[in-house]
Amino acid sequence: MGVIGLDLDDFRRINDQFGHRTGDAVLIYIASRLNFYKEDGFVARIGADEFMFLHPNWTLDELRPVARRLTKDLADWSEMNGVTGLTTTIGLDVFALRHPHHTYEVMMGRLDVVLHEAKLSGKKRILAFQEIEDGSHYLQTLEMERDLRRALENDEFELYYQPIVSPHPFAVRGVEALIRWNHPVKGQVSPGLFIPIAEQLGLISDLGCWVLRQAVSEMKEHSMRHHLFLSVNVSKRQIADGSFLAELEDVLAETLFDPHLLHVEITESEVGGNLYELQQFIQSLKTLGVKISLDDFGVGTSSLSFLQSLQLDLIKIDQNFVKGIPENTFDRALLEGLYQTFHTLGLDIVTEGVERPEQLAFVLEHSSSLIQGYHYSKPVPLAQLEHYLKKTVTLYDW
Protein backbone atom coordinates (compact mmCIF):
# COMPACT_ATOMS: atom_id res chain seq x y z
CA MET A 1 0.00 0.00 0.00
CA GLY A 2 1.26 3.45 -0.90
CA VAL A 3 0.96 6.07 1.84
CA ILE A 4 1.32 9.85 1.69
CA GLY A 5 1.27 12.01 4.80
CA LEU A 6 0.97 15.77 4.22
CA ASP A 7 1.62 18.30 6.99
CA LEU A 8 1.26 22.04 6.34
CA ASP A 9 4.28 23.94 7.69
CA ASP A 10 3.62 26.59 10.35
CA PHE A 11 -0.10 26.56 9.60
CA ARG A 12 -0.89 28.48 12.77
CA ARG A 13 1.09 31.40 11.35
CA ILE A 14 -1.11 31.34 8.23
CA ASN A 15 -4.24 31.55 10.42
CA ASP A 16 -2.75 34.33 12.55
CA GLN A 17 -1.40 36.38 9.63
CA PHE A 18 -4.12 35.93 7.02
CA GLY A 19 -7.14 34.96 9.10
CA HIS A 20 -9.05 31.72 9.68
CA ARG A 21 -11.10 32.15 6.50
CA THR A 22 -7.88 31.94 4.47
CA GLY A 23 -6.74 29.02 6.58
CA ASP A 24 -9.97 27.18 5.85
CA ALA A 25 -9.54 27.92 2.14
CA VAL A 26 -6.06 26.32 2.24
CA LEU A 27 -7.45 23.15 3.87
CA ILE A 28 -10.30 22.92 1.33
CA TYR A 29 -7.84 23.34 -1.55
CA ILE A 30 -5.48 20.64 -0.25
CA ALA A 31 -8.40 18.22 0.23
CA SER A 32 -9.63 18.89 -3.33
CA ARG A 33 -6.17 18.23 -4.84
CA LEU A 34 -5.75 14.99 -2.89
CA ASN A 35 -9.15 13.83 -4.07
CA PHE A 36 -8.17 14.75 -7.62
CA TYR A 37 -5.10 12.48 -7.52
CA LYS A 38 -6.51 9.62 -5.45
CA GLU A 39 -7.91 7.39 -8.26
CA ASP A 40 -8.76 4.16 -6.38
CA GLY A 41 -7.23 5.48 -3.17
CA PHE A 42 -8.54 6.97 0.05
CA VAL A 43 -8.08 10.47 1.49
CA ALA A 44 -8.59 11.62 5.08
CA ARG A 45 -7.85 14.66 7.20
CA ILE A 46 -6.10 13.28 10.31
CA GLY A 47 -5.27 16.48 12.17
CA ALA A 48 -5.76 20.22 12.17
CA ASP A 49 -3.25 20.66 9.32
CA GLU A 50 -2.49 17.04 8.38
CA PHE A 51 -3.84 14.82 5.63
CA MET A 52 -3.28 11.20 4.70
CA PHE A 53 -3.58 9.55 1.30
CA LEU A 54 -3.66 5.76 0.81
CA HIS A 55 -3.55 3.81 -2.44
CA PRO A 56 -3.76 0.00 -2.40
CA ASN A 57 -1.28 -0.63 -5.21
CA TRP A 58 1.08 2.33 -5.58
CA THR A 59 4.84 2.10 -5.11
CA LEU A 60 7.30 4.87 -4.25
CA ASP A 61 7.82 5.51 -7.96
CA GLU A 62 4.12 6.34 -8.25
CA LEU A 63 3.89 8.26 -4.96
CA ARG A 64 6.78 10.65 -5.64
CA PRO A 65 5.31 12.38 -8.74
CA VAL A 66 2.02 12.93 -6.90
CA ALA A 67 3.87 14.41 -3.92
CA ARG A 68 5.82 16.76 -6.21
CA ARG A 69 2.63 17.84 -7.98
CA LEU A 70 0.92 18.52 -4.64
CA THR A 71 3.84 20.70 -3.59
CA LYS A 72 3.70 22.63 -6.88
CA ASP A 73 -0.10 22.97 -6.73
CA LEU A 74 0.12 24.50 -3.26
CA ALA A 75 2.89 26.89 -4.30
CA ASP A 76 0.85 28.05 -7.32
CA TRP A 77 -2.30 28.52 -5.24
CA SER A 78 -0.48 30.48 -2.52
CA GLU A 79 1.14 32.77 -5.11
CA MET A 80 -2.20 33.36 -6.87
CA ASN A 81 -3.96 34.17 -3.58
CA GLY A 82 -1.17 36.20 -1.99
CA VAL A 83 -0.60 33.76 0.87
CA THR A 84 3.17 34.03 1.26
CA GLY A 85 5.25 31.44 3.06
CA LEU A 86 2.77 28.59 2.61
CA THR A 87 4.69 25.29 2.31
CA THR A 88 4.14 21.65 3.14
CA THR A 89 6.17 18.69 4.33
CA ILE A 90 5.31 15.32 2.81
CA GLY A 91 6.19 11.85 4.07
CA LEU A 92 5.96 8.75 1.88
CA ASP A 93 5.82 5.08 2.76
CA VAL A 94 5.12 1.74 1.11
CA PHE A 95 3.43 -0.50 3.62
CA ALA A 96 3.14 -4.30 3.28
CA LEU A 97 -0.38 -5.12 4.43
CA ARG A 98 0.24 -8.85 4.51
CA HIS A 99 3.01 -8.56 7.08
CA PRO A 100 1.61 -9.96 10.39
CA HIS A 101 2.97 -7.06 12.46
CA HIS A 102 1.91 -4.27 10.10
CA THR A 103 -1.13 -2.86 11.87
CA TYR A 104 -2.83 0.51 11.49
CA GLU A 105 -0.92 1.73 14.57
CA VAL A 106 2.41 0.70 13.03
CA MET A 107 1.53 2.45 9.76
CA MET A 108 0.63 5.68 11.55
CA GLY A 109 3.76 5.41 13.69
CA ARG A 110 5.95 5.13 10.60
CA LEU A 111 4.18 8.11 9.06
CA ASP A 112 4.77 10.17 12.22
CA VAL A 113 8.46 9.24 12.18
CA VAL A 114 9.08 10.22 8.57
CA LEU A 115 7.18 13.51 8.92
CA HIS A 116 9.06 14.32 12.14
CA GLU A 117 12.41 13.57 10.48
CA ALA A 118 11.50 15.70 7.45
CA LYS A 119 10.52 18.62 9.71
CA LEU A 120 13.80 18.33 11.63
CA SER A 121 15.80 18.58 8.42
CA GLY A 122 14.21 21.86 7.36
CA LYS A 123 10.55 21.34 6.46
CA LYS A 124 9.29 22.02 2.89
CA ARG A 125 10.52 18.66 1.64
CA ILE A 126 9.47 15.20 0.54
CA LEU A 127 10.95 12.23 2.40
CA ALA A 128 10.29 8.49 2.24
CA PHE A 129 10.38 6.22 5.28
CA GLN A 130 12.63 3.85 3.35
CA GLU A 131 15.26 6.61 3.09
CA ILE A 132 15.60 6.96 6.87
CA GLU A 133 14.76 3.45 8.07
CA ASP A 134 18.34 2.67 9.14
CA GLY A 135 19.64 6.15 9.96
CA SER A 136 16.90 8.17 11.62
CA HIS A 137 17.95 9.63 14.97
CA TYR A 138 14.30 9.99 15.93
CA LEU A 139 13.59 6.38 14.98
CA GLN A 140 16.62 5.23 16.96
CA THR A 141 15.40 7.20 19.98
CA LEU A 142 11.98 5.54 19.76
CA GLU A 143 13.65 2.15 19.50
CA MET A 144 15.91 2.96 22.44
CA GLU A 145 12.91 3.98 24.56
CA ARG A 146 11.17 0.69 23.81
CA ASP A 147 14.34 -1.28 24.56
CA LEU A 148 15.03 0.61 27.80
CA ARG A 149 11.56 -0.09 29.15
CA ARG A 150 11.93 -3.76 28.23
CA ALA A 151 15.41 -3.89 29.78
CA LEU A 152 14.07 -2.73 33.15
CA GLU A 153 11.42 -5.44 33.03
CA ASN A 154 13.78 -8.20 31.83
CA ASP A 155 16.72 -7.52 34.15
CA GLU A 156 19.17 -6.69 31.35
CA PHE A 157 21.17 -4.20 33.45
CA GLU A 158 24.27 -5.03 35.47
CA LEU A 159 26.46 -3.08 37.84
CA TYR A 160 30.20 -2.66 37.43
CA TYR A 161 32.32 -1.32 40.28
CA GLN A 162 35.46 0.80 40.08
CA PRO A 163 37.71 0.70 43.16
CA ILE A 164 38.69 3.94 44.91
CA VAL A 165 42.02 3.45 46.66
CA SER A 166 44.36 5.03 49.14
CA PRO A 167 47.87 4.55 47.68
CA HIS A 168 50.09 4.77 50.82
CA PRO A 169 49.54 2.58 52.69
CA PHE A 170 47.61 0.80 49.96
CA ALA A 171 43.96 0.12 50.78
CA VAL A 172 40.77 -0.10 48.80
CA ARG A 173 38.64 2.52 50.52
CA GLY A 174 35.49 2.42 48.40
CA VAL A 175 33.84 1.59 45.08
CA GLU A 176 31.65 3.51 42.65
CA ALA A 177 28.65 1.65 41.20
CA LEU A 178 28.30 2.15 37.44
CA ILE A 179 25.40 0.82 35.38
CA ARG A 180 25.96 -1.33 32.28
CA TRP A 181 23.38 -2.59 29.79
CA ASN A 182 23.67 -6.02 28.20
CA HIS A 183 21.30 -5.74 25.23
CA PRO A 184 20.15 -9.18 24.00
CA VAL A 185 20.83 -8.25 20.34
CA LYS A 186 23.24 -5.29 20.33
CA GLY A 187 25.47 -6.53 23.14
CA GLN A 188 26.81 -4.04 25.67
CA VAL A 189 25.36 -0.56 25.05
CA SER A 190 27.49 2.40 26.16
CA PRO A 191 26.15 4.37 29.16
CA GLY A 192 27.11 7.49 27.23
CA LEU A 193 24.44 6.54 24.72
CA PHE A 194 21.54 5.27 26.81
CA ILE A 195 21.76 7.45 29.94
CA PRO A 196 21.13 10.77 28.11
CA ILE A 197 18.17 9.17 26.33
CA ALA A 198 16.86 7.81 29.65
CA GLU A 199 17.07 11.36 31.05
CA GLN A 200 15.31 12.79 28.00
CA LEU A 201 12.52 10.21 28.24
CA GLY A 202 12.04 10.50 32.01
CA LEU A 203 13.30 6.95 32.68
CA ILE A 204 16.37 8.04 34.66
CA SER A 205 14.53 7.91 38.00
CA ASP A 206 13.58 4.27 37.44
CA LEU A 207 17.16 3.44 36.46
CA GLY A 208 18.54 5.35 39.44
CA CYS A 209 16.29 3.51 41.90
CA TRP A 210 17.35 0.18 40.39
CA VAL A 211 21.05 1.09 40.71
CA LEU A 212 20.66 2.14 44.35
CA ARG A 213 18.80 -0.99 45.42
CA GLN A 214 21.02 -3.35 43.44
CA ALA A 215 24.29 -1.76 44.59
CA VAL A 216 23.34 -1.81 48.26
CA SER A 217 22.21 -5.41 47.97
CA GLU A 218 25.39 -6.56 46.21
CA MET A 219 27.86 -4.55 48.28
CA LYS A 220 26.47 -4.83 51.81
CA GLU A 221 28.59 -7.82 52.82
CA HIS A 222 31.75 -6.48 51.13
CA SER A 223 31.30 -3.02 52.66
CA MET A 224 31.10 -4.50 56.14
CA ARG A 225 33.92 -7.01 55.68
CA HIS A 226 36.39 -4.57 54.05
CA HIS A 227 34.94 -1.34 55.50
CA LEU A 228 34.35 0.06 52.00
CA PHE A 229 32.18 3.02 51.20
CA LEU A 230 29.75 2.61 48.32
CA SER A 231 29.28 5.52 45.93
CA VAL A 232 26.12 5.89 43.79
CA ASN A 233 25.10 8.66 41.42
CA VAL A 234 21.93 10.74 41.57
CA SER A 235 20.49 12.88 38.76
CA LYS A 236 18.82 16.28 38.95
CA ARG A 237 15.49 14.68 37.99
CA GLN A 238 15.71 12.22 40.89
CA ILE A 239 16.35 15.10 43.27
CA ALA A 240 13.44 17.10 41.88
CA ASP A 241 10.84 14.33 41.84
CA GLY A 242 11.72 12.94 45.29
CA SER A 243 12.08 9.37 44.01
CA PHE A 244 15.67 8.93 45.21
CA LEU A 245 15.05 9.93 48.83
CA ALA A 246 11.95 7.76 49.06
CA GLU A 247 13.80 4.75 47.63
CA LEU A 248 16.84 5.41 49.81
CA GLU A 249 14.84 5.40 53.03
CA ASP A 250 13.16 2.12 52.04
CA VAL A 251 16.46 0.48 51.02
CA LEU A 252 18.27 1.47 54.21
CA ALA A 253 15.37 0.23 56.36
CA GLU A 254 15.11 -3.08 54.49
CA THR A 255 18.82 -3.91 54.20
CA LEU A 256 20.20 -2.30 57.39
CA PHE A 257 23.09 -1.03 55.27
CA ASP A 258 25.32 1.33 57.28
CA PRO A 259 24.40 4.81 55.93
CA HIS A 260 27.82 6.16 56.91
CA LEU A 261 29.31 3.88 54.26
CA LEU A 262 27.07 5.28 51.53
CA HIS A 263 28.15 8.22 49.38
CA VAL A 264 25.69 9.95 47.05
CA GLU A 265 27.37 11.64 44.07
CA ILE A 266 25.95 14.84 42.62
CA THR A 267 27.48 15.80 39.26
CA GLU A 268 28.88 19.32 39.24
CA SER A 269 27.33 20.13 35.86
CA GLU A 270 23.90 19.55 37.43
CA VAL A 271 24.54 21.81 40.43
CA GLY A 272 22.75 25.12 40.04
CA GLY A 273 19.24 26.33 39.44
CA ASN A 274 17.24 25.78 42.59
CA LEU A 275 19.91 26.02 45.30
CA TYR A 276 17.37 25.80 48.11
CA GLU A 277 15.99 22.52 46.71
CA LEU A 278 19.50 21.07 46.51
CA GLN A 279 20.35 22.19 50.05
CA GLN A 280 17.16 20.56 51.35
CA PHE A 281 18.04 17.34 49.53
CA ILE A 282 21.55 17.32 51.02
CA GLN A 283 20.20 18.04 54.49
CA SER A 284 17.83 15.08 54.18
CA LEU A 285 20.74 12.83 53.21
CA LYS A 286 22.81 14.05 56.16
CA THR A 287 19.90 13.40 58.51
CA LEU A 288 20.02 9.79 57.33
CA GLY A 289 23.79 9.68 57.92
CA VAL A 290 24.68 9.51 54.21
CA LYS A 291 27.71 11.41 52.84
CA ILE A 292 27.70 13.78 49.86
CA SER A 293 30.23 13.80 47.02
CA LEU A 294 30.53 16.26 44.16
CA ASP A 295 31.46 14.37 41.00
CA ASP A 296 33.37 15.65 37.94
CA PHE A 297 34.59 18.83 39.64
CA GLY A 298 35.87 21.23 36.99
CA VAL A 299 33.34 20.29 34.30
CA GLY A 300 30.73 22.80 35.49
CA THR A 301 30.98 26.40 36.66
CA SER A 302 30.67 26.14 40.44
CA SER A 303 32.43 28.71 42.58
CA LEU A 304 34.19 27.59 45.75
CA SER A 305 31.88 29.67 47.96
CA PHE A 306 28.91 28.02 46.27
CA LEU A 307 30.36 24.58 46.98
CA GLN A 308 30.90 25.40 50.64
CA SER A 309 27.21 26.25 51.03
CA LEU A 310 26.33 22.69 49.99
CA GLN A 311 27.96 21.02 53.02
CA LEU A 312 29.88 18.53 50.91
CA ASP A 313 31.99 15.74 52.35
CA LEU A 314 34.09 14.84 49.31
CA ILE A 315 35.17 16.37 45.98
CA LYS A 316 35.96 14.21 42.95
CA ILE A 317 38.35 16.08 40.65
CA ASP A 318 37.54 15.43 36.99
CA GLN A 319 39.98 13.45 34.87
CA ASN A 320 40.50 16.41 32.51
CA PHE A 321 42.70 18.02 35.19
CA VAL A 322 44.91 14.94 35.24
CA LYS A 323 45.37 14.21 31.51
CA GLY A 324 48.18 16.74 31.06
CA ILE A 325 49.99 15.86 34.29
CA PRO A 326 52.92 16.12 34.79
CA GLU A 327 53.92 17.56 31.38
CA ASN A 328 51.54 20.57 31.28
CA THR A 329 52.67 23.44 33.53
CA PHE A 330 49.22 25.06 33.69
CA ASP A 331 47.54 21.78 34.69
CA ARG A 332 50.16 21.15 37.38
CA ALA A 333 49.67 24.61 38.91
CA LEU A 334 45.89 24.32 38.75
CA LEU A 335 45.79 20.89 40.37
CA GLU A 336 48.22 21.94 43.14
CA GLY A 337 45.98 24.93 43.91
CA LEU A 338 42.86 22.76 44.06
CA TYR A 339 44.50 20.32 46.45
CA GLN A 340 45.56 23.14 48.78
CA THR A 341 42.12 24.77 48.69
CA PHE A 342 40.16 21.58 49.36
CA HIS A 343 42.54 20.60 52.14
CA THR A 344 42.01 24.01 53.78
CA LEU A 345 38.23 23.56 53.48
CA GLY A 346 38.46 20.16 55.19
CA LEU A 347 37.12 18.24 52.19
CA ASP A 348 38.17 14.72 51.28
CA ILE A 349 39.38 14.35 47.69
CA VAL A 350 39.23 11.69 45.00
CA THR A 351 41.34 12.29 41.89
CA GLU A 352 39.72 10.63 38.88
CA GLY A 353 41.34 9.37 35.69
CA VAL A 354 44.77 8.45 37.04
CA GLU A 355 46.23 6.05 34.47
CA ARG A 356 50.02 6.49 34.39
CA PRO A 357 52.67 6.08 37.14
CA GLU A 358 53.92 9.65 36.65
CA GLN A 359 50.38 10.98 37.19
CA LEU A 360 50.11 8.97 40.40
CA ALA A 361 53.52 10.24 41.57
CA PHE A 362 52.41 13.86 41.09
CA VAL A 363 49.14 13.32 42.99
CA LEU A 364 50.97 11.62 45.87
CA GLU A 365 53.58 14.40 46.04
CA HIS A 366 51.00 17.18 46.35
CA SER A 367 48.06 15.64 48.18
CA SER A 368 46.64 12.85 50.29
CA SER A 369 43.93 12.31 47.67
CA LEU A 370 42.24 9.00 47.09
CA ILE A 371 42.69 7.62 43.57
CA GLN A 372 40.15 6.35 41.05
CA GLY A 373 41.44 5.33 37.65
CA TYR A 374 42.75 2.65 35.34
CA HIS A 375 46.17 2.69 37.04
CA TYR A 376 44.57 0.56 39.74
CA SER A 377 41.48 -0.86 38.08
CA LYS A 378 38.91 -0.20 35.40
CA PRO A 379 35.22 -0.72 36.32
CA VAL A 380 34.66 -4.47 36.73
CA PRO A 381 31.69 -6.81 37.35
CA LEU A 382 31.00 -7.92 40.91
CA ALA A 383 32.77 -11.29 40.53
CA GLN A 384 35.98 -9.57 39.34
CA LEU A 385 35.71 -7.01 42.15
CA GLU A 386 35.52 -9.85 44.69
CA HIS A 387 38.67 -11.36 43.17
CA TYR A 388 40.38 -7.93 43.21
CA LEU A 389 39.56 -7.41 46.88
CA LYS A 390 40.86 -10.86 47.84
CA LYS A 391 44.05 -10.33 45.83
CA THR A 392 44.76 -6.92 47.36
CA VAL A 393 44.14 -8.23 50.88
CA THR A 394 46.71 -10.96 50.20
CA LEU A 395 49.25 -8.61 48.63
CA TYR A 396 48.82 -5.76 51.12
CA ASP A 397 48.13 -7.13 54.57
CA TRP A 398 47.18 -4.00 56.52
Side-chain angles (χ1 to χ4, degrees):
M1 175 182 286
V3 183
I4 294 177
L6 185 150
D7 190 338
L8 292 165
D9 299 326
D10 302 318
F11 186 63
R12 181 175 179 179
R13 183 190 63 81
I14 299 299
N15 276 327
D16 292 343
Q17 185 173 349
F18 298 98
H20 286 272
R21 181 171 294 181
T22 299
D24 291 344
V26 172
L27 297 174
I28 292 169
Y29 179 73
I30 290 292
S32 70
R33 299 315 294 164
L34 284 167
N35 276 305
F36 176 79
Y37 293 121
K38 76 174 185 178
E39 295 185 2
D40 297 328
F42 170 79
V43 173
R45 182 183 176 193
I46 57 174
D49 55 1
E50 297 178 64
F51 293 84
M52 182 174 67
F53 167 88
L54 305 176
H55 195 285
N57 302 311
W58 282 5
T59 65
L60 279 178
D61 289 339
E62 292 161 302
L63 292 172
R64 288 187 194 278
V66 172
R68 286 195 289 267
R69 286 199 294 270
L70 284 167
T71 300
K72 185 179 184 305
D73 289 345
L74 186 62
D76 291 345
W77 185 92
S78 61
E79 182 179 354
M80 184 183 304
N81 290 275
V83 183
T84 56
L86 179 58
T87 60
T88 186
T89 297
I90 295 178
L92 309 177
D93 191 14
V94 175
F95 197 73
L97 288 176
R98 294 181 180 179
H99 194 289
H101 300 297
H102 280 188
T103 63
Y104 170 79
E105 288 76 16
V106 172
M107 180 182 71
M108 295 304 295
R110 287 164 58 129
L111 196 58
D112 281 343
V113 166
V114 71
L115 284 170
H116 181 90
E117 199 73 25
K119 293 274 190 182
L120 283 179
S121 57
K123 305 178 183 179
K124 194 184 176 181
R125 63 173 301 194
I126 300 167
L127 187 67
F129 182 84
Q130 286 69 23
E131 296 176 63
I132 64 164
E133 195 165 7
D134 297 323
S136 165
H137 174 72
Y138 182 60
L139 199 60
Q140 290 170 359
T141 301
L142 291 176
E143 182 181 357
M144 182 72 75
E145 178 180 7
R146 181 199 66 204
D147 288 353
L148 278 170
R149 294 187 189 280
R150 189 201 60 225
L152 279 166
E153 296 172 358
N154 295 346
D155 201 24
E156 295 174 12
F157 294 108
E158 178 184 9
L159 290 182
Y160 276 40
Y161 297 93
Q162 186 168 29
I164 300 170
V165 308
S166 172
H168 291 308
F170 181 90
V172 180
R173 294 282 302 280
V175 294
E176 180 180 359
L178 300 162
I179 191 169
R180 296 293 184 265
W181 181 9
N182 300 308
H183 193 285
V185 176
K186 300 174 183 176
Q188 196 163 94
V189 182
S190 167
L193 177 62
F194 73 81
I195 287 180
I197 292 179
E199 290 175 340
Q200 176 186 339
L201 298 172
L203 297 174
I204 196 67
S205 293
D206 293 335
L207 279 181
C209 288
W210 181 88
V211 169
L212 173 64
R213 185 170 288 276
Q214 189 75 7
V216 168
S217 173
E218 291 182 350
M219 287 303 301
K220 180 183 176 183
E221 182 180 340
H222 300 294
S223 290
M224 293 174 62
R225 183 188 307 157
H226 302 287
H227 199 69
L228 303 175
F229 67 80
L230 168 63
S231 206
V232 296
N233 293 277
V234 63
S235 70
K236 183 183 292 186
R237 180 182 288 269
Q238 288 176 278
I239 296 172
D241 66 19
S243 61
F244 184 85
L245 274 178
E247 187 74 8
L248 176 61
E249 291 175 355
D250 289 344
V251 168
L252 291 177
E254 293 169 19
T255 64
L256 301 180
F257 188 91
D258 184 353
H260 297 94
L261 294 177
L262 185 63
H263 287 212
V264 172
E265 294 192 11
I266 303 167
T267 304
E268 192 207 0
S269 57
E270 294 190 342
V271 170
N274 193 336
L275 177 59
Y276 176 76
E277 180 182 78
L278 186 57
Q279 288 173 327
Q280 291 296 106
F281 174 76
I282 290 175
Q283 186 55 52
S284 297
L285 292 179
K286 288 188 171 292
T287 300
L288 293 172
V290 174
K291 293 191 175 180
I292 317 299
S293 302
L294 184 70
D295 193 18
D296 296 339
F297 179 83
V299 172
T301 56
S302 301
S303 68
L304 293 177
S305 60
F306 183 72
L307 298 183
Q308 195 173 25
S309 70
L310 295 179
Q311 296 181 291
L312 301 168
D313 298 294
L314 185 146
I315 298 284
K316 301 184 78 173
I317 297 177
D318 185 71
Q319 61 183 349
N320 286 316
F321 285 96
V322 181
K323 284 180 180 178
I325 298 296
E327 298 84 3
N328 189 293
T329 303
F330 179 82
D331 287 347
R332 289 203 309 268
L334 192 58
L335 198 52
E336 282 184 52
L338 288 175
Y339 286 144
Q340 293 172 6
T341 302
F342 293 147
H343 176 72
T344 301
L345 293 174
L347 294 167
D348 292 330
I349 307 168
V350 172
T351 303
E352 299 180 301
V354 176
E355 298 181 356
R356 297 180 284 131
E358 54 268 33
Q359 292 173 332
L360 177 63
F362 180 89
V363 174
L364 293 178
E365 180 183 352
H366 295 94
S367 75
S368 56
S369 171
L370 301 178
I371 305 294
Q372 182 175 354
Y374 278 31
H375 179 80
Y376 286 111
S377 176
K378 63 182 181 180
V380 294
L382 181 62
Q384 290 185 36
L385 176 68
E386 291 170 344
H387 177 73
Y388 182 86
L389 292 173
K390 290 176 183 176
K391 182 179 70 173
T392 53
V393 167
T394 303
L395 291 175
Y396 306 93
D397 187 13
W398 65 87

